[in-house]
Amino acid sequence: MKQQVQIFDTTLRDGEQVPGCKLNTAEKTELALLLQNLGVDIIEAGFPVSSPGDFDSVTEISKVIGDTVVCALSRAVKKDIEVAAEALHYARRPRIHTGIGTSDQHIVGKFNTTREDILERAVQCVRWARNFTDDVEFYAEDAGRTSNEYLAQVVEAVIRAGATVVNIPDTTGYCLPHQYGEKVAYLVNHVPNIDRAVISCHCHNDLGLATANSIAGVLSGARQVECTINGLGERAGNTSLEEVVMVLRQHEYLGYYTGINTRQLNPLSRIVSEVMRMPVQPNKAIVGSNAFSHSSGIHQDGFLKSAITYEIIDPEEVGADSSRIVLTARSGRSALAFRFQKIGYQFTRNDIDVLYEKFVQAADNKKEINDGDLLQLADAYVLSQEPA
Ligand code: KIV
Ligand code: ZN
């Protein structure tokens, strides 16, 4: 039987931490409703203690969201947890996400303390959060660089204290996919009470491995992935939601599914990009403007004969505009004939041979040949063919 991977969206928290992406309460609430509509399982709405504005955003989001879990972040600090709980007051399904750094870099460099003390604080924060809700997620910040033995001790202790989800963040995007996968597998095999909690992946993209690491985590037993629309997030970003969802869908035989309505991926990507004032790189998987464009002659010829030769995803399935045959100096005759057809010209093979020479000369001087350029080429050619 297929197993569901829960999608935990943190666009409104980790994504919104990006400089320039800050949102007001109305914008956050509008995006939260769209995320609910997309089918995410959990919306991380913000970090209420961080500012009055974020407190209001979490409160307003909690009021309008239905069955989707609304989550608020806190540090392992009593006051943070209380403020998070207060902001979540109206949520139908509230979750408190609390935690602390567990790597030696954090324990010594940030807290100047010991592993024993961190373990104690981890247990205390989960216990405290459980006073407000039954749904408590614990994050072991910088788990990616935390020793597996110590991480297993922390995870066991916080589950005993009441954590229902254990988040294993690769906060600095340091891990290789096999290392991250082994880390999750280690927890599955060495934490005696692990069956009482869901393991969550939270990967950053500093080495471009966030999606690969999250998938490795799922293959090892994680059943929740934390991600953002367009991969927005601190520094190089978080795991991109659209990538994780489509990897699991394209590799259906692995036996996982998500509740995401994939047809909304591109429309929502555009809205998030606009509202957060953060353009999407054209070559971004799934949602980039070139994700379904073909420009080299070899690819175009194959694609025009059968789309699946060069496309593994039907653009309609992810709500993208239909595939584009782009004309550049690297394009071929089939693409040229196809584009002429699209604007109403049915040329013979001989015509195309002649036109192709003119096209290549024009394309060498221009990045892309558009319909206007094609019309000019076609008109000049038709005129040249008329008897004098
Ligand atoms: O990257 C990280 O470790 C985080 C935690 C706060 C979950 O964002
Ligand atoms: Zn993060």
Side-chain angles (χ1 to χ4, degrees):
M1 232 208 5
K2 281 203 188 176
Q3 296 188 43
Q4 181 163 11
V5 174
Q6 304 264 310
I7 297 296
F8 175 115
D9 182 276
T10 183
T11 308
L12 303 180
R13 200 279 295 170
D14 223 331
E16 204 237 12
Q17 286 172 208
V18 174
C21 284
K22 199 196 152 308
L23 302 174
N24 61 35
T25 296
E27 291 165 330
K28 274 190 134 185
T29 309
E30 181 202 333
L31 288 184
L33 288 166
L34 293 172
L35 288 166
Q36 171 173 252
N37 214 27
L38 178 72
V40 308
D41 301 283
I42 302 107
I43 296 170
E44 187 163 49
F47 182 13
V49 85
S50 67
S51 75
D54 221 31
F55 180 93
D56 286 346
S57 297
V58 176
T59 304
E60 293 310 312
I61 289 170
S62 298
K63 286 181 187 166
V64 297
I65 293 297
D67 275 343
T68 309
V69 173
V70 180
C71 176
L73 185 78
S74 75
R75 293 167 299 182
V77 172
K78 268 189 168 186
K79 174 83 181 151
D80 277 33
I81 295 169
E82 286 160 7
V83 173
E86 202 186 327
L88 288 169
H89 177 74
Y90 295 100
R92 198 176 297 173
R93 296 178 65 197
R95 174 180 296 182
I96 294 178
H97 189 190
T98 185
I100 196 160
T102 53
S103 65
D104 289 337
Q105 288 88 339
H106 280 231
I107 296 174
V108 178
K110 194 159 108 180
F111 298 109
N112 189 24
T113 186
T114 61
R115 285 184 173 186
E116 292 69 31
D117 177 50
I118 290 293
L119 194 136
E120 184 52 28
R121 292 202 216 176
V123 166
Q124 291 308 333
C125 73
V126 170
R127 285 213 184 112
W128 192 245
R130 279 298 299 250
N131 289 324
F132 305 99
T133 170
D134 291 344
D135 189 350
V136 173
E137 173 167 339
F138 173 80
Y139 64 85
E141 196 178 3
D142 204 16
R145 292 187 296 174
T146 301
S147 99
N148 288 349
E149 294 75 12
Y150 176 62
L151 185 62
Q153 281 175 31
V154 174
V155 166
E156 182 182 351
V158 296
I159 294 174
R160 217 179 309 117
T164 43
V165 181
V166 282
N167 179 9
I168 311 302
D170 185 19
T171 305
T172 57
Y174 171 75
C175 289
L176 294 171
H178 75 276
Q179 292 169 333
Y180 191 77
E182 280 164 17
K183 191 171 282 291
V184 172
Y186 187 91
L187 299 176
V188 170
N189 295 322
H190 292 84
V191 175
N193 54 2
I194 198 72
D195 57 318
R196 284 169 35 202
V198 171
I199 300 178
S200 184
C201 308
H202 179 113
C203 298
H204 279 266
N205 207 29
D206 300 66
L207 293 173
L209 293 170
T211 299
N213 285 348
S214 299
I215 297 295
V218 169
L219 296 179
S220 293
R223 290 292 172 269
Q224 179 178 288
V225 174
E226 310 200 357
C227 42
T228 58
I229 301 288
N230 299 338
L232 286 170
E234 283 275 1
R235 307 181 308 280
N238 283 62
T239 304
S240 128
L241 181 150
E242 56 278 6
E243 291 174 13
V244 167
V245 167
M246 290 314 291
V247 170
L248 296 178
R249 195 166 160 121
Q250 291 305 116
H251 294 269
E252 216 186 342
Y253 60 87
L254 291 172
Y256 304 105
Y257 70 97
T258 70
I260 298 297
N261 176 355
T262 59
R263 284 173 196 265
Q264 291 178 21
L265 288 173
N266 268 274
L268 188 51
S269 158
R270 274 183 230 131
I271 294 172
V272 167
S273 166
E274 242 169 66
V275 179
M276 289 190 144
R277 301 161 287 275
M278 196 49 67
V280 176
Q281 70 193 63
N283 57 326
K284 169 80 182 62
I286 324 292
V287 294
S289 55
N290 285 346
F292 299 98
S293 297
H294 305 272
S295 90
S296 91
I298 298 173
H299 287 215
Q300 292 172 329
D301 185 52
F303 174 80
L304 289 170
K305 285 174 178 149
S306 164
I308 60 163
T309 52
Y310 285 98
E311 268 183 7
I312 60 162
I313 298 169
D314 178 349
E316 234 181 78
E317 198 182 328
V318 292
D321 296 337
S322 44
S323 310
R324 285 196 321 135
I325 292 288
V326 181
L327 293 179
T328 71
R330 304 290 157 263
S331 300
R333 286 173 173 73
S334 341
L336 185 62
F338 171 80
R339 285 283 300 270
F340 272 133
Q341 258 174 40
K342 289 204 99 176
I343 56 168
Y345 290 89
Q346 193 74 41
F347 288 120
T348 65
R349 214 192 148 91
N350 283 346
D351 295 331
I352 290 292
D353 280 343
V354 178
L355 280 159
Y356 187 70
E357 297 309 316
K358 306 257 179 249
F359 158 74
V360 171
Q361 280 166 20
D364 256 341
N365 296 318
K366 248 190 128 195
K367 282 207 165 86
E368 193 182 325
I369 296 293
N370 60 30
D371 285 350
D373 302 320
L374 287 180
L375 276 174
Q376 274 184 16
L377 280 174
D379 288 347
Y381 179 71
V382 171
L383 259 177
S384 73
Q385 298 301 298
E386 281 174 5

